[in-house]
Amino acid sequence: MDSIRYYVVQVDERYYQGEIDLLSFTDDEEQAFAFTDIEAANQLANEVKGIVLTREVSYMELEDFSAQYLVEYEALPKEERDTIESFCRNLSIGMLD
């Protein structure tokens, strides 16, 4: 398999964004919550009267995104990078508790 299949839930022209309240939607499909489980996507779509769209992204595309994000991250001021890294460390520690 050279790609990853995922699912997004669409209601009218908006996409489920993954917030707890089920009312959080975005106009930008790129910002939509990506389900990897079709059953979960279908369940939510039924709850919000939406449809499930199947999408795929290749591993090559993911590598390109990763490289692009690294360049953007490294261009941030050091203070912002330190804040992000501190947050990620704290998040990681919290997940281990």
Side-chain angles (χ1 to χ4, degrees), residues 22-39:
L22 297 183
L23 300 176
S24 181
F25 289 85
T26 177
D27 293 328
D28 183 0
E29 185 176 344
E30 298 270 326
Q31 298 298 316
F33 183 81
F35 289 87
T36 56
D37 177 6
I38 185 72
E39 304 276 330

Side-chain angles (χ1 to χ4, degrees), residues 90-97:
N90 290 338
L91 182 62
S92 176
I93 290 169
M95 291 175 66
L96 297 175
D97 289 344

Side-chain angles (χ1 to χ4, degrees), residues 9-60:
V9 174
Q10 181 181 18
V11 178
D12 299 321
E13 297 299 317
R14 307 198 71 198
Y15 305 92
Y16 175 67
Q17 195 169 10
E19 301 297 326
I20 295 171
D21 62 10
L22 297 183
L23 300 176
S24 181
F25 289 85
T26 177
D27 293 328
D28 183 0
E29 185 176 344
E30 298 270 326
Q31 298 298 316
F33 183 81
F35 289 87
T36 56
D37 177 6
I38 185 72
E39 304 276 330
N42 280 325
Q43 181 178 354
L44 177 71
N46 287 334
E47 289 176 29
V48 297
K49 298 184 178 25
I51 61 171
V52 175
L53 305 175
T54 302
R55 299 291 186 250
E56 256 181 72
V57 62
S58 72
Y59 289 114
M60 179 79 72

